[in-house]
Amino acid sequence: MLFFFIYAIIPPMKNSSYKKIISLFLAFLKTGAFTFGGGYAMIALLEREFVEKKKWIDHDEFVDMVAIAESTPGPIAINAATYIGYTTAGFWGALGSTIAVCIPSFVVIYTISLFFDRFLANVYVAAAFKGIQVCVCYLILSAGIKLLKKMKKEPMQIILFSAAVLAMVCITLFSVRFSSIFLIIIGAITGLSVWLISKALSRKGERR
């Protein structure tokens, strides 16, 4: 009974999707293995792999994916893998991408936990992580600059971006305890409000 229930919910895998699912799995396995600094550092690699190289999604959809992955609960790397996998190859693509991006982190963290004290006390490891920190800052900054260059330069986007940057700078300078979650919620409410107002105005224009 349980088998038939699972079979009814989970869609069957098509033969034409095998290659794409394997390609997704290997791409996210590679990305997860060589990305340091969390999901934000992964954004630049994902854009290069799936937008510029494979062209499976366009840039506008990629920007939307980043916003969705950041706004929804959970790590941005896993959310991004699930989104790209699902839009590219459906349920099995999402499953394979999510598992692939988690495997390297799980293996590395589990291995480190076995030798945690020795690992942290190692001089070579400490020196390596200092170099990695610099690279992570560059990856995050380059991803942000790319997204900013390709962002639609409409008044609402410019105002929201400027307000968010100003708010984050003030919060950092004055050490104010204000979660970035509220900035996301405020941005979502503002965008929805502007869309509803523009929709209402267009309807009034049509009636006239």
Side-chain angles (χ1 to χ4, degrees):
M1 187 70 180
L2 180 62
F3 172 79
F4 288 108
F5 178 74
I6 295 173
Y7 182 79
I9 294 177
I10 300 176
M13 188 185 301
K14 298 179 181 180
N15 293 331
S16 58
S17 301
Y18 278 110
K19 291 183 179 180
K20 188 168 284 189
I21 292 170
I22 293 172
S23 180
L24 278 166
F25 184 88
L26 294 177
F28 276 103
L29 187 67
K30 178 184 68 176
T31 305
F34 295 100
T35 301
F36 296 90
Y40 293 105
M42 188 182 290
I43 291 174
L45 299 179
L46 292 177
E47 183 181 16
R48 188 179 302 112
E49 183 73 22
F50 295 103
V51 179
E52 297 176 1
K53 187 179 177 181
K54 296 184 182 298
K55 300 185 184 300
W56 284 352
I57 57 176
D58 57 28
H59 182 76
D60 290 338
E61 187 177 3
F62 182 80
V63 174
D64 291 338
M65 180 273 296
V66 174
I68 292 170
E70 173 61 22
S71 304
T72 51
I76 186 173
I78 296 176
N79 293 342
T82 306
Y83 181 93
I84 293 176
Y86 186 80
T87 55
T88 305
F91 171 83
W92 294 106
L95 181 63
S97 301
T98 305
I99 293 173
V101 81
C102 293
I103 288 175
S105 301
F106 174 79
V107 172
V108 171
I109 295 299
Y110 178 75
T111 305
I112 291 174
S113 66
L114 298 177
F115 313 99
F116 189 71
D117 294 331
R118 295 180 184 177
F119 184 82
L120 292 181
N122 192 301
V123 178
Y124 300 104
V125 172
F129 271 102
K130 287 182 180 179
I132 290 172
Q133 289 174 1
V134 179
C135 294
V136 168
C137 292
Y138 166 75
L139 287 173
I140 296 174
L141 182 62
S142 64
I145 292 173
K146 282 185 178 180
L147 292 176
L148 179 61
K149 286 181 177 179
K150 296 180 181 179
M151 183 185 74
K152 293 181 179 178
K153 305 300 188 297
E154 296 179 0
M156 187 188 73
Q157 279 85 347
I158 295 173
I159 293 171
L160 285 177
F161 174 78
S162 303
V165 171
L166 181 62
M168 293 303 295
V169 170
C170 293
I171 289 168
T172 304
L173 291 177
F174 298 104
S175 300
V176 180
R177 292 186 177 180
F178 188 81
S179 177
S180 57
I181 295 173
F182 294 111
L183 292 177
I184 296 172
I185 294 173
I186 292 170
I189 293 173
T190 305
L192 183 60
S193 301
V194 170
W195 179 79
L196 290 173
I197 292 171
S198 63
K199 203 76 173 176
L201 291 175
S202 64
R203 286 178 180 175
K204 285 184 179 180
E206 291 176 358
R207 290 175 183 175
R208 290 178 183 177

